[in-house]
């Protein structure tokens, strides 16, 4: 079945389906057929019980406070903004409380509130505080927020539907929901018909409302666009917004956010039209997207913070709770998802949440199946991708990320072939993430700071090769969006995991190639991190390779003589203006090591180069008058002038520190004598010793079947 | 009964006791009468079971490795040093394993090892690697380590006594223990007869051996010195080394260390001579010392790191495991100790450990009773002391320490009236502790770094007033040891906890007085920290009051303009040479605030002054060529020139940050309009507002009954 035919078939099913089916309420996350079971479940299964108690508390608190439906006037974080947000949260909570308790007071609360909205909504003009970047809503400063409001409220309405008199329902549907829906698909047609995650919120709002109010017309537009051709709308979004592997191009932090309307609307489609098998649509792409969102976390649950990302954001976020519950209950009961659910400490009080909590209580959970993988970027999967290496479980897991994806739109960073390294429960070579103090009014209203552009997005802020002290594509987003890195290789065996990618356009005339591997040798308990960064050019360039690290340098092969006074910024632009140059060290024989004490163990990075290099120790803080940049430190391998250049590092995690017993063992690395034997277009050969045993590693760039050899 | 008479009575009891009692083995931590119960206990009570499994594993591992008794030649951390250390650990483990399993192989192992020692010991000269500061041992580079060895080995020997043939015992006792004992009390008479914690290890080694080998002479010397007059020896040490409240002058980190030989030897005395009631000796001082060691921790178990202290050291250390087990089982079964034991996750496999594990398993634990207190320093309790304020439980506990103790010998810091503040599970205004990377060979062999003197001990490294950019007593330990601060007041009520102390000698001609309080006001959920630092002088001085903080400044009443380039050291000496001056801010109207985001909440410090001041933002790192000083940051209230000067601060913990939900509330402090109304010798009056309510706080320096008033 070809692609177009498949879409047409699916759309037909959907259309007829809605018409054919009798309307029942509720029928989205919580369904009529399952109410009895969920009511029983909230007394039986700890996770559901706790989650329900939280919701009920929220609902009961709502009932104690007079209803307030203010005239919209404030921007994000302001009073009217926060009140409308709280209102939809309360409606949702009261909907759940009504279904579980059967107490009419919750339905009455929702009815009264929605009647107040219905009495006012049509009079509201466009929101007075509008942002430049996004079209305004009527309730909120961005239409996006209006859509989010409706996605939540319609679910609450669905739950109290039977508890609201028909006449009131008519008022609410006629004077609130119908105008909202029209405002979204008609007044904001551009957003509605956009292949973008804001568009997904818009179609989900309209489509969910169409299902609940039995308006097939709205559902159809939601699914295939206002012109109903299927060029835009939900199904086209499903087709376009994820790579074939399920990766969302802005990175994992935004993948999490983008996922929610997809998952909830798909759940509704599945509910109303089970025969469409929406979760299998487009090669089960939504299933893949949920899995990729989880694979985009380290074993502590934190998303890899590539591009603009708030760090510390984990899979415990509400978007992933929805996604995990639905994925487990409605798509595929992968026992590893139960492990995630347990760590989320919450389920949605819903059919799906019931199933998750019940199976968890039955002890069915297995550790989530983190896997090394290459995930493609681009809707066809041909715009580079993200390589993730993984070794070991839980706290002891080593994870390495090679970022060889496309630019990732406006939230993308200029960090082609950036590498992140995690171990022992946290970051070893971290990514800075976004420069933003979210919700902190005093820091640019909680928005992205100027330093997000001057620092966080710049190449040098990452573990990425910098040429001539400038950023990739000179920091030009338009230019950067034209190109993407090329995939070279990804392999995993019992002893080796390796990923390799190339970037030809970030610096005109310079080809960059990075190969990163975890290799397990018999002499050591944990794998070594091997990192080979190769630059090829016919002209001379300066090459800087920073390794941002956490912890404290306690040893190095060279004598560190840090600047004692008059500390100077390393450069003038491209992020270098924010770096203090703490020391600049000559490295005899083109190689050496740096040992860092971090937490309760050590990381020693041995390095070698094809040409003479220096090691610069840098830290952030220069030209940061408002103290906006967080303290960060790096050792930077620096080659002042060369045409071709290969940097090689081998990083070993070793030793153990027990601060209570005050014992330390294994403070010396077992790795020594690293050197680059040769490096050219066909291969890089490096050697090192572990204790007395010599190892040779050969990377065969042009032989994918035999890409890496260890001898 | 007067003091001398009491000692004599006690000594007589002890002497006759030893003679009168039949010798049984074992009879120290594990006793013959209790073996059956302990054997059963290791199968029943989780904590004892786990602890025993660890010991047994250690014993079994020991048996798989050939015995090695090397000629002593290496210093601390070297091969022979580590081997002899491992040997005593193995002897102790095998002693326990022998008693629990009854398997002769463990006794045989100990016998064989001790016979090897007995064959060599008398031939060993003084240790070739001797330190300058401490006399050498024969087995180790310091006699201290030889004593520790014997304290452990004699306990192991006691446990396998019945499993070693009499002839072998004779060899071991004649050619190993007797010469060791003689080496300690005779060759090292000076250490043995010293009123110092090294002396305690010496007398414990000799005394324990005397008990086990039934040598009353050795016991007598251990108790009352080689001349048996009682001027020195264990009882005199008990009398002299703790303040009447049980505080050990070097601070809590060393209190922990000093405690161990006291507790173990007292336990043996109690075992052999129960009628002496040794634990009640000198007003139950050892009981108090154990309690003070625990009160010297924050609610996360970490010792307050005043003076030279390794941070992260907690009451989970083995010294405190011994102390807590014995305190609970042999002194007073305070249920709060069970809470500590549970968090230690270990008991000694012993009579005491059995009781602790059993009662824990029975669910008898209560939260450890942290209390606000003033603990005196000095053997008479008249050399200042430490004030600790506490509010709340567990993770939410607020703790404030005012350091008004004596200098604390060679490990003391020059930080008179230093203040530490803890909240929400960790440090808010931290102490740097010692500058030392313990056991890290590359950092000065793991010893104290030069920066311990140039930085960590200096006044400015603490939250303490610095006059004229010099340290207390110009950093002269001899001078500093002559004086101590004076206690002014300590009070606690339901609403207020306050401590106040004075220091007149740290800076000639300047009287310093600090008053620190936690006050609970109706408007706020948690108490406010009030800090009033007053300096009085007839001459002009520069006064700097640094607040070292953790976290990130996100707001201030003044516009911060941090230095963009050419960062400069703030001074030349007294620790100022290690400070970068990041910004120097004018403060209009003598007051303002600094807001710090830390972890998941905020700390806003409002400040006010009697005279115009500046705020300097400083961080460590200048003149630190070897990168030895850890990153630290402070805001420093600075008065360039004044005679009398009062600094007042009010610190509020407020708000909540949820990084996963990305929500923030309460980022603004409720405190405003702080000012100093007046400050003189009789009182300081300050006012501030909480929301709209005005508060006036009056500190009456000369009225102890009415020391602080809030209106």
């Amino acid at each position: 079945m070809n692609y177009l035919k498949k879409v047409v078939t699916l759309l037909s099913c959907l259309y007829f389906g809605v018409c054919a089916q009798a309307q029942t309420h509720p029928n989205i996350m919580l369904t009529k057929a399952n109410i009895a079971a969920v009511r029983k479940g909230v007394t039986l299964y700890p996770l559901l019980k706790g989650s329900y108690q939280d919701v009920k508390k929220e609902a009961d608190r709502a009932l104690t406070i007079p209803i307030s439906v203010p005239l919209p006037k404030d921007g994000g974080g302001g009073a009217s903004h926060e009140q409308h947000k709280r209102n939809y949260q309360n409606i949702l909570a009261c909907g759940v409380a009504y279904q579980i308790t059967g107490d009419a007071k919750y339905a009455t609360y929702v009815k009264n509130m929605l009647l107040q909205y219905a009495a006012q909504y049509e009079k509201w003009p466009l929101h007075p505080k509008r942002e430049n970047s996004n079209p305004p809503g009527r309730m909120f400063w961005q239409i996006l927020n209006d859509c989010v409001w409706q996605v939540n409220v319609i679910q609450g309405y669905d739950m109290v539907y039977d508890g609201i008199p028909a006449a009131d329902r008519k008022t609410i549907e006629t004077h609130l929901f119908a105008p909202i829906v029209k405002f979204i698909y008609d007044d904001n047609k551009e957003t509605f018909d956009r292949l973008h995650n804001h568009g997904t919120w818009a179609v989900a709002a309209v489509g969910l409302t169409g299902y609940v109010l039995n308006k097939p017309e709205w559902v159809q537009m939601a699914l295939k666009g206002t012109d109903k051709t299927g060029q835009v709308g939900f199904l086209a979004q499903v087709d376009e917004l994820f790579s074939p592997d399920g990766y969302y191009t802005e990175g994992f932090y935004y993948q999490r956010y983008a996922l929610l309307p997809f998952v909830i609307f798909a759940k509704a489609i599945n509910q109303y039209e089970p025969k469409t098998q929406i979760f299998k649509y487009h090669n089960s792409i939504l299933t893949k997207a949920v899995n990729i969102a989880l694979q985009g976390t380290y074993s502590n649950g934190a998303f890899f913070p590539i591009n603009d990302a708030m760090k510390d954001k984990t899979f415990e976020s509400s978007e992933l709770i929805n996604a995990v519950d639905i994925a487990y209950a409605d798509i595929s009961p992968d026992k590893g998802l139960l492990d995630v659910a347990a760590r989320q400490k919450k389920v949605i009080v819903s059919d799906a949440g019931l199933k998750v909590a019940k199976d968890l209580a039955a002890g069915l959970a297995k550790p989530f199946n983190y896997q090394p993988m290459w995930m493609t970027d681009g809707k066809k999967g041909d715009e580079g991708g993200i390589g993730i290496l993984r070794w070991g479980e839980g706290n002891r897991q080593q994870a390495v990320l090679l970022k060889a994806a496309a630019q990732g739109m406006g939230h993308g960073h200029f960090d082609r072939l950036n590498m992140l390294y995690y171990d022992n429960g946290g970051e070893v070579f971290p990514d800075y993430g976004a420069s933003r103090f979210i919700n902190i009014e005093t820091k640019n209203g909680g928005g992205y700071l100027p330093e997000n552009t001057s620092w966080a997005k710049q190449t040098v802020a990452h573990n990425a090769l910098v040429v001539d002290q400038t950023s990739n594509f000179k920091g030009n987003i338009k230019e950067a969006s034209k190109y993407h890195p090329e995939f070279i290789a990804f392999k995993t065996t019992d002893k080796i995991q390796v990923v390799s990618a190339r970037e030809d356009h970030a610096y005109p005339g310079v080809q960059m190639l990075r190969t990163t591997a975890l290799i397990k040798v018999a002499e050591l308990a944990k794998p070594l991190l091997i990192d080979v960064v190769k630059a090829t050019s016919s002209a001379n360039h300066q090459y800087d390779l920073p390794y941002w690290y956490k912890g404290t340098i306690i040893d190095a092969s060279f004598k560190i003589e840090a600047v004692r006074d008059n500390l100077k910024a390393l450069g003038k632009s491209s992020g270098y203006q924010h770096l203090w140059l703490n020391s600049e060290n000559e490295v005899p024989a083109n190689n050496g090591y740096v040992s860092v004490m971090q937490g309760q163990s050590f990381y020693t990075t041995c390095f070698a180069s094809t040409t003479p290099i220096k090691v610069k120790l840098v830290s952030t803080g220069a030209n940061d008058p408002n103290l906006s940049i967080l303290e960060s430190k790096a050792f930077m391998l620096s080659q002042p002038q060369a045409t071709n250049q290969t940097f090689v590092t081998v990083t070993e995690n070793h030793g153990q520190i027990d601060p209570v017993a005050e014992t330390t063992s294994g403070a010396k690395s077992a790795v020594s004598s690293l050197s680059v034997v040769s490096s050219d277009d066909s291969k890089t050969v490096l050697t090192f010793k572990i204790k007395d045993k010599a190892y040779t590693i050969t990377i065969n760039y042009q032989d994918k079947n035999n890409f890496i050899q260890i001898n």
Side-chain angles (χ1 to χ4, degrees), chain A:
Chain A
M1 190 154 64
N2 72 26
Y3 176 66
L4 193 62
K5 194 165 163 200
K6 196 174 64 181
V7 172
V8 170
T9 310
L10 181 65
L11 293 178
S12 308
C13 295
L14 286 165
Y15 180 74
F16 290 117
V18 173
C19 297
Q21 198 184 12
Q23 199 72 5
T24 58
H25 300 279
N27 196 32
I28 303 175
M29 294 294 283
L30 200 56
T31 65
K32 193 159 194 166
N34 252 320
I35 293 301
V38 175
R39 282 181 183 169
K40 202 170 158 197
V42 300
T43 67
L44 290 178
Y45 311 121
L47 202 56
L48 185 63
K49 190 177 182 175
S51 302
Y52 171 63
Q53 282 167 347
D54 289 349
V55 172
K56 174 126 190 317
K57 215 156 95 186
E58 204 182 321
D60 288 339
R61 191 172 46 221
L63 263 52
T64 65
I65 299 167
I67 288 172
S68 161
V69 178
L71 181 70
K73 62 180 169 66
D74 304 313
S80 76
H81 180 102
E82 291 300 313
Q83 185 62 49
H84 288 298
K85 199 168 146 189
R86 217 172 300 124
N87 285 349
Y88 81 63
Q89 291 163 342
N90 289 342
I91 287 173
L92 202 54
C94 285
V96 172
Y98 175 69
Q99 284 296 332
I100 305 298
T101 64
D103 192 329
K105 66 182 178 186
Y106 299 109
T108 304
Y109 173 87
V110 175
K111 179 195 74 180
N112 291 339
M113 184 180 290
L114 290 179
L115 285 172
Q116 287 202 26
Y117 271 101
Q120 297 186 52
Y121 181 78
E122 289 166 303
K123 298 175 213 154
W124 288 343
L126 283 185
H127 198 283
K129 286 258 171 60
R130 57 185 73 180
E131 266 201 325
N132 286 333
S133 53
N134 287 306
R138 279 162 90 167
M139 216 176 285
F140 297 96
W141 62 342
Q142 298 182 63
I143 176 71
L144 172 65
N145 301 90
D146 284 42
C147 296
V148 172
W149 189 91
Q150 182 61 14
V151 164
N152 283 278
V153 166
I154 197 63
Q155 292 182 67
Y157 182 73
D158 185 37
M159 287 189 275
V160 297
Y161 190 93
D162 295 335
I164 301 185
D168 291 329
R169 288 205 306 259
K170 193 172 173 202
T171 306
I172 293 165
E173 294 180 10
T174 310
H175 297 289
L176 180 62
F177 293 150
I180 286 180
V181 163
K182 186 176 167 297
F183 177 68
I184 296 172
Y185 78 73
D186 196 5
D187 299 18
N188 284 283
K189 187 170 177 297
E190 204 175 313
T191 297
F192 187 87
D193 281 344
R194 193 173 166 205
L195 294 174
H196 182 277
N197 83 76
H198 289 191
T200 312
W201 281 105
V203 301
V206 171
L208 287 168
T209 311
Y211 279 128
V212 174
L213 271 50
N214 199 9
K215 303 277 189 191
E217 171 78 6
W218 296 352
V219 174
Q220 268 196 298
M221 284 194 294
L223 291 168
K224 44 186 187 164
T226 51
D227 67 0
K228 298 173 202 155
T229 63
Q231 297 300 306
V232 292
F234 185 72
L235 296 169
Q237 288 165 355
V238 172
D239 290 334
E240 298 273 332
L241 289 181
F242 297 96
S243 82
D245 290 338
Y247 175 72
Y248 177 67
T249 192
E250 288 187 293
F252 305 106
Y253 175 78
Y254 279 98
Q255 170 132 6
R256 160 202 61 82
Y257 184 68
L259 208 49
L260 189 59
F262 277 106
V263 166
I264 290 181
F265 191 32
K267 165 75 178 163
I269 296 170
N270 194 53
Q271 214 51 47
Y272 280 85
E273 312 300 321
K275 65 188 163 194
T276 60
Q277 300 200 290
I278 184 69
F279 290 119
K280 293 200 174 152
Y281 180 69
H282 195 72
N283 297 315
S284 302
I285 191 72
L286 291 180
T287 321
K288 289 179 186 169
V290 174
N291 183 49
I292 289 291
L294 293 170
Q295 296 289 349
T297 63
Y298 179 53
S299 59
N300 64 1
F303 292 103
F304 295 121
I306 52 170
N307 294 331
D308 284 348
M310 298 312 301
K311 296 178 80 163
D312 301 329
K313 188 83 175 183
T314 71
F315 61 40
E316 291 169 45
S317 70
S318 66
E319 298 90 351
L320 266 287
I321 296 174
N322 274 281
V324 165
D325 288 1
I326 292 174
Y328 182 79
D330 294 293
I331 310 182
S332 169
D334 168 359
K335 304 291 180 288
L337 293 173
L338 294 178
D339 173 36
V340 176
R343 291 170 59 193
Q344 290 173 332
K345 298 179 216 78
K346 207 173 181 177
V347 287
I348 307 301
V349 181
S350 63
D351 298 6
L354 170 67
K355 184 153 201 276
V356 167
K358 188 176 169 185
D359 287 1
L360 251 181
L364 299 183
K366 288 188 180 165
F368 176 71
N369 185 23
Y370 280 115
Q371 285 191 306
M373 58 167 62
W374 171 260
M375 45 183 87
T376 55
D377 193 4
K379 75 176 171 183
K380 292 186 188 149
D382 58 359
E383 299 178 26
I386 304 271
I388 297 177
L389 313 180
R390 305 251 190 195
W391 211 298
E393 301 286 327
N395 256 349
R396 301 271 295 160
Q397 184 183 83
Q398 288 179 307
V400 181
L401 183 148
L402 179 65
K403 187 183 181 231
Q407 186 64 19
M409 307 199 274
H411 289 299
H413 286 194
F414 299 97
D415 59 344
R416 296 291 157 97
L417 310 186
N418 182 15
M419 190 268 287
L420 283 61
Y421 178 40
Y422 289 70
D423 189 18
N424 289 316
E427 299 171 310
V428 180
F429 297 143
D431 192 286
Y432 188 88
S435 181
R436 175 180 193 183
F437 291 82
I438 201 163
N439 295 316
I440 305 291
E441 187 62 34
T442 52
K443 300 302 277 186
N444 196 29
Y448 288 103
L449 295 169
E451 289 77 11
N452 197 52
T453 302
S454 70
W455 168 247
K457 286 189 173 185
Q458 300 297 325
T459 309
V460 76
H462 304 84
N463 305 306
L465 186 67
V466 189
V467 179
D468 298 330
Q469 292 208 179
T470 61
S471 286
N472 298 168
F473 304 99
K474 295 197 165 68
N476 181 323
I477 176 75
K478 216 168 145 188
E479 205 52 28
S481 299
K482 291 183 190 163
Y483 306 100
H484 54 78
E486 297 294 332
F487 171 75
I488 304 276
F490 175 80
K491 288 259 178 194
T492 78
T493 71
D494 275 6
K495 298 241 154 56
I496 306 177
Q497 297 182 4
V498 64
V499 60
S500 181
R502 204 181 74 221
E503 167 60 54
D504 296 343
H505 301 95
Y507 296 104
V510 180
Q511 187 204 66
M512 306 192 291
L513 202 160
R514 188 169 203 158
T515 306
T516 301
L518 289 175
I519 69 164
K520 178 77 184 70
V521 296
E523 292 78 14
L524 301 174
K526 292 178 80 172
L528 294 171
L529 170 65
I530 310 284
D531 190 23
V532 179
V533 178
K534 196 163 123 39
T536 310
S537 179
S538 55
N540 271 319
H541 296 284
Q542 177 186 339
Y543 296 108
D544 284 349
L545 180 62
Y547 285 86
W548 293 92
Y549 67 92
K550 297 267 179 183
T552 304
I553 293 178
I554 50 111
D555 193 20
S557 57
F558 45 90
K559 175 150 175 49
I560 296 169
E561 264 292 336
V563 172
R564 290 164 190 256
D565 206 347
N566 295 309
L567 196 57
K568 292 191 176 55
L570 181 51
K572 297 284 176 206
S573 59
S574 295
Y576 281 74
Q577 75 276 25
H578 293 304
L579 296 181
W580 296 120
L581 178 59
N582 296 299
S583 83
E584 188 166 349
N585 307 279
E586 302 291 335
V587 180
N590 305 354
N591 72 3
Y593 67 86
V594 173
S595 281
V596 173
M597 180 172 80
Q598 191 204 327
Q600 310 205 341
S601 65
F602 304 89
Y603 292 88
T604 293
T605 300
C606 296
F607 55 84
S609 161
T610 46
T611 63
I613 56 173
K614 292 180 178 189
V615 176
K616 294 176 182 172
L617 300 182
V618 297
S619 58
T620 52
N623 289 294
D624 181 23
N626 305 321
L627 306 178
S628 289
I629 301 178
L630 301 174
E631 291 88 351
S632 307
K633 295 178 289 187
F635 56 91
M636 186 192 270
L637 309 182
S638 183
Q639 158 54 263
Q641 208 181 50
T643 52
N644 299 337
Q645 165 66 20
T646 300
F647 297 103
V648 166
T649 67
V650 175
T651 300
E652 184 197 4
N653 174 223
H654 55 96
Q656 260 200 310
I657 301 163
D658 180 338
V660 173
E662 291 183 358
T663 56
T664 297
S665 62
K668 276 267 167 204
S669 172
V671 181
S672 64
S673 312
L674 178 66
S675 80
V676 193
V677 178
S678 68
S679 187
D680 56 34
D681 288 352
S682 74
K683 60 178 71 172
T684 292
V685 180
L686 54 123
T687 60
F688 57 89
K689 281 187 182 172
I690 298 176
K691 290 159 190 170
D692 290 327
K693 178 151 182 211
Y695 278 90
T696 301
I697 295 187
T698 307
I699 301 167
N700 301 299
Y701 297 115
Q702 288 153 5
D703 182 357
K704 299 213 173 178
N705 295 320
N706 193 22
F707 189 73
I708 186 166
Q709 287 170 293
I710 305 182
N711 293 112

